[in-house]
Amino acid sequence: MATVSEALSIALDHHIAGRVAEAETLYGRILEAVPGHPDASHLMGLLLAQTGRVAAALGHLDAAVAGDPASATHHLNRGKVQDALGQTADAAASWLATLRRQPDHAEAAERLAPALRALAETAFDSGALASAAAIYERVLALDPQNLSATFDAAMAAKGLGRLDESARLAGLAARLDPTLLRARMAEAEARQALGQTEQAIAALRPALALDPAQAGGWASLCLLRSDLGQRGAAVVAGRRAALAAPSDTGLLVRLAAARQIAEKPRAALAAARRGLSLDPASAELHLALGAALDAVYALEDAGRSLERAGRLRPGDAAALAERGRLCERAGLAERAVALLQRALAMRPDDGDSWVALGRAALRRGDAARAGRGARWALRLTPGLPAGLLLAGAVREAQGADGEALALYDRAIAAAPGVGTGFSRRAMLLLRRAVGDAPPPRQASGKRRLSVSTLGHAGRFGNQLLQYGCLRVCAERNGMELETPDWIGRHLYGLDDPLPGPPLPSLHEEDCGVPALLDGRVLANADGRDVVGYFCGDTAPLAPHRARFRALFTPVGAVAERAAAALDGLRARGRTLVAIHLRRGDFGLNDRFWIAPEGWYLDWLAETWPTLDQPVLYLATDAPELAERFARYRPVLAGDLGAPLPGAEFFTDHWILSRADRVAVSNSSFSVTAAMLNPALRAALRPDRKTARLVPFDPWNGPVLLP
């Protein structure tokens, strides 16, 4: 009688030769004799599956695995049958068991990956994202180059809030298929949410190259560029978004915001108005229009736009806050408080509104309430420049000058281009150093011209331009200029009346400097509060240069310091050469660019030998640069005496305004000094096109260069 092994061998021969009936009979007899025999069960299961009896086959393969669980082949074939029966999860488990027993089993690995992916997709579709993510991880361990699994795993991770993982996987999918736009966008979206702005931009660039008409991508790029302070690039991206989807008013809202941030309020106006032509009932666009009108100081029109936004969205916190902030800037303290309190009751995390509420309270003489507004704002956004300025003004009003100065210093460090901290600090210290400024004159009763933003919009050089232009304009039109407290009162003894009741605002771009100076705009006006930086062409002011210069004549102790500094410098040589190198708050964006010191050194090398006993004065906020000019033995402000507290820059400006030859920077500081210089023999400024210093006339050209 044959043994089991011999019978199994004969049955297998029949099986291989295709004699299925004979093989099945023998397998059956063996299993009757030895129930659950692993090999016989395995072979019977295979035979049944091969002859279409898949359901019957599974029981035999289960028995084979039970009888010999160490056999990789048994697990493999059971997985095949389970897969054929639609039991994907069981099949995957069988193939995983195969690989645990034989890690290099190629067929098991090949079959497992799609099975796991199918399970992951089922889990994903049912919302079981954690299960899906775990299964995708197994798929990618088996097949790291699986593009579909990589991208889907990124989506599962995103759904679970695992943004770092989502960004990594989406980036991997993009590398596997550089043309897969969805992967690029997914990575950019995840990195944007993580605050990884530069990485998000890097992901978006190739996505937009693949599909330049993708409005959403351009809109995201607009926001990202804004986050980096790349204002011009943000506007370009916003414009591309609007061009890609010209009827999408949401994109026009973003474009208007980008232009507003880039200090292009008139372009923001155009975007908002274009959007309103498409959707006149859009509250967001009316808010954008109101904000842009506010930025150009068309306050009445801005108020109407914001009122419309409020009617379209009654009780909306954003609309109430914007209207409240507008009223505060317009000097309507009572109305501002009422609106801002309603807005903050709904959205107490709005730091800007807390600042505006505090300023309105301070305007009403309520320093304690103003202090609460400052504390709330700084609690929400530590280091918020407007919050620091408000806190400083509160402490100044309460007589705590030392604390106020510390707060102003923090505000200047946080936002060096904002003039308010600079001005408040300067006036506090100047009062200590040179005494009180002359008391403001009483109003004469003439028609009024006001410049309420003097001391807030721009720093020293820009303030001189604002005051000088408008003072000349007022005198030319039989009007009286009103100014707030500003540094010119201490340095130059100016005693203009303080601003009276608020006047309608007028932006310099709505009339132009020539019209202001010859009275074409204001001849029949009852009065205006003029706003602007006055950094355009100086030619219209040139006929009035003598009057402009006379306005800025130092007085008292300031004049004594100025004379001593100039005398000390003149004693060192016959030809005074002054160079201005501005660094501190410059170079932060393309508008206020920095010219290399090499351009100034090249000019000196050419000019110095031709001069009669020259002496070099270096006007700079970065005295370490003096080493670059060591061969010319430069003199700095500190070499001419102690700085004037609060106006530490004054010696630099004064010497620039009295030197024989001046090389300015791209700054209103040194350009105004050149304008005030009555005996200037040569003036030069940096030119980016030629990468050198070029001669210029400070009374015939723009104050700032492109």
Side-chain angles (χ1 to χ4, degrees), residues 349 446 494 547:
D349 61 344
K446 293 181 180 179
L494 300 167
R547 180 56 181 149

Side-chain angles (χ1 to χ4, degrees), residues 52-341:
R53 292 168 286 175
V54 182
L58 183 56
H60 290 286
L61 289 166
D62 286 341
V65 169
D68 185 8
S71 171
T73 303
H74 293 177
H75 287 285
L76 174 73
N77 289 326
R78 181 172 68 164
K80 293 178 184 179
V81 170
Q82 290 167 328
D83 190 37
L85 290 170
Q87 300 173 7
T88 308
D90 292 337
S94 292
W95 291 325
L96 280 169
T98 304
L99 290 168
R100 280 196 291 271
R101 287 152 180 81
Q102 187 177 335
D104 61 347
H105 200 298
E107 184 180 1
E110 183 179 351
R111 289 179 177 274
L112 178 60
L116 288 175
R117 185 153 187 273
L119 291 173
E121 289 173 355
T122 301
F124 190 98
D125 292 342
S126 67
L129 297 181
S131 296
I135 299 170
Y136 279 129
E137 185 177 350
R138 288 182 173 180
V139 175
L140 293 173
L142 293 167
D143 183 7
Q145 304 300 308
N146 190 314
L147 174 62
S148 298
T150 303
F151 180 76
D152 291 347
M155 295 299 97
K158 174 188 173 184
L160 290 167
R162 302 195 310 229
L163 296 179
D164 279 313
E165 184 180 349
S166 179
R168 179 184 63 79
L169 289 166
L172 177 58
R175 289 191 292 277
L176 291 172
D177 181 0
T179 67
L180 186 60
L181 179 62
R182 291 183 302 157
R184 301 281 188 187
M185 292 301 298
E187 182 187 3
E189 182 181 341
R191 296 202 182 280
Q192 184 174 2
L194 287 165
Q196 297 173 354
T197 305
E198 293 182 353
Q199 296 95 316
I201 290 173
L204 270 177
R205 279 199 293 260
L208 291 169
L210 289 168
D211 181 10
Q214 185 188 169
W218 287 112
S220 296
L221 187 60
C222 172
L223 293 177
L224 292 165
R225 294 292 192 192
S226 293
D227 288 345
L228 288 179
Q230 297 171 353
R231 299 173 177 180
V235 170
V236 171
R239 190 183 304 122
R240 290 293 298 269
L243 288 172
S247 61
D248 187 334
T249 55
L251 294 180
L252 289 169
V253 171
R254 289 192 183 185
L255 177 58
R259 287 173 167 172
Q260 187 85 343
I261 293 170
E263 298 180 9
K264 297 181 178 180
R266 296 187 184 278
L269 278 174
R273 284 171 173 154
R274 179 180 163 196
L276 286 169
S277 71
L278 298 169
D279 183 5
S282 168
E284 291 83 0
L285 285 165
H286 281 289
L287 281 171
L289 180 63
L293 288 166
D294 185 5
V296 299
Y297 283 83
L299 300 186
E300 293 180 2
D301 290 341
R304 284 191 288 270
S305 292
L306 297 175
E307 289 282 353
R308 179 74 185 277
R311 289 195 299 272
L312 289 167
R313 287 201 315 214
D316 178 75
L320 287 169
E322 194 70 44
R323 288 162 60 198
R325 292 193 292 264
L326 175 70
C327 289
E328 187 275 319
R329 284 189 291 276
L332 305 174
E334 299 292 338
R335 180 65 173 152
V337 168
L339 290 166
L340 290 167
Q341 284 178 331

Side-chain angles (χ1 to χ4, degrees), residues 92 97 100 117 156 232 344 359 365 370 455 484 497 504 577 581 602 634 646 695 699:
R100 280 196 291 271
R117 185 153 187 273
L344 287 166
R359 284 198 298 250
V577 179
L581 300 175
D602 290 345
W699 288 99

Side-chain angles (χ1 to χ4, degrees), residues 365-412:
D366 189 346
R369 189 171 186 179
R372 287 195 295 273
R375 287 192 295 274
W376 267 107
L378 292 171
R379 190 176 301 139
L380 291 165
T381 310
L384 180 69
L388 293 170
L389 290 172
L390 173 60
V394 169
R395 298 306 288 145
E396 186 178 352
Q398 294 170 335
D401 289 357
E403 293 180 33
L405 284 169
L407 288 161
Y408 292 145
D409 284 339
R410 288 177 59 194
I412 293 168

Side-chain angles (χ1 to χ4, degrees), residues 508-545:
E508 64 167 313
E509 292 184 15
D510 292 325
C511 55
V513 173
L516 281 173
L517 291 170
D518 66 17
R520 282 180 285 154
V521 170
L522 299 174
N524 299 315
D526 293 331
R528 290 288 187 273
D529 182 12
V530 183
V531 178
Y533 288 90
F534 296 90
C535 286
D537 192 349
T538 59
L541 190 58
H544 314 287
R545 70 183 72 187

Side-chain angles (χ1 to χ4, degrees), residues 480-496:
E480 186 167 52
L481 184 66
E482 300 172 347
T483 71
D485 198 9
W486 75 293
I487 196 171
R489 295 181 184 273
H490 292 271
L491 298 180
Y492 306 117
L494 300 167
D495 62 351
D496 308 274

